[in-house]
Amino acid sequence: HTEDELSRGSHSNPGKSLVNGIKTNPASNSPKSSLPVPMGPPVYVDLAYIPNHCSGKNTDPEFFKRVRASYYVVSGNDAANGEPSRAVLDALLDGKAQWGENLQVTLIPTHDTEVTREWYQQTHEKQQELNIMVLASSSTVVMQDESFPACKIEF
């Protein structure tokens, strides 16, 4: 097929789309059943936001093996939905243990939750071994009629 034919084909059949050059049916693709991500070298970044408010629904140990950040932001604050997830926080420890290098990692929770406090206390020794620091701050930001805790980070 020519590029023109492929383009027309996808417009005439809106139920299909191209993913990595392969026709798929979006209705049948869930996040867990999508095409496997090929293995490759890890990606190093300064700052990474742990997806989906640190929920176990979309973040697994592979994330921390592949995305190696100096800072990870944990924004979950919904215990009823498992945010943040203890399993995801444990996955950070497991993933970091496999890096093979002792780079400093800072975890930045945006909310003070029971899950993060318990995880911090129960895994503190392991965090120290892996050179992971959890950033806590007593800073407060006041905007109009609202105030909330905040952390300042500098690069």
Side-chain angles (χ1 to χ4, degrees):
H1 295 304
T2 67
E3 213 173 302
D4 237 13
E5 288 172 321
L6 286 175
S7 176
R8 278 195 309 264
S10 64
H11 290 299
S12 65
N13 189 354
K16 301 256 185 199
S17 63
L18 291 178
V19 175
N20 294 330
I22 300 169
K23 282 190 178 182
T24 62
N25 184 346
S28 68
N29 281 345
S30 70
K32 296 287 184 185
S33 68
S34 62
L35 296 172
V37 177
M39 291 304 296
V43 176
Y44 291 86
V45 296
D46 289 328
L47 178 72
Y49 178 90
I50 299 176
N52 201 30
H53 306 288
C54 196
S55 166
K57 295 175 187 171
N58 299 96
T59 307
D60 60 12
E62 190 65 27
F63 175 79
F64 297 104
K65 293 176 192 170
R66 308 271 311 265
V67 179
R68 300 180 181 185
S70 297
Y71 297 87
Y72 289 102
V73 176
V74 176
S75 71
N77 189 26
D78 186 357
N81 284 318
E83 300 167 0
S85 164
R86 170 67 189 251
V88 173
L89 295 171
D90 288 340
L92 167 63
L93 298 174
D94 294 340
K96 175 74 165 68
Q98 296 181 35
W99 287 10
E101 49 195 325
N102 197 19
L103 300 174
Q104 169 75 46
V105 168
T106 303
L107 189 67
I108 306 168
T110 61
H111 297 89
D112 180 21
T113 67
E114 186 175 331
V115 170
T116 53
R117 271 183 271 130
E118 285 179 5
W119 176 82
Y120 176 81
Q121 292 170 350
Q122 294 169 0
T123 65
H124 187 68
E125 190 174 302
K126 181 78 169 171
Q127 294 167 43
Q128 288 179 322
E129 288 172 23
L130 294 171
N131 203 14
I132 296 174
M133 179 177 72
V134 178
L135 185 64
S137 174
S138 59
S139 298
T140 303
V141 173
V142 178
M143 296 180 70
Q144 297 175 351
D145 298 331
E146 185 179 8
S147 67
F148 48 89
C151 290
K152 177 182 177 183
I153 44 178
E154 295 180 15
F155 295 93

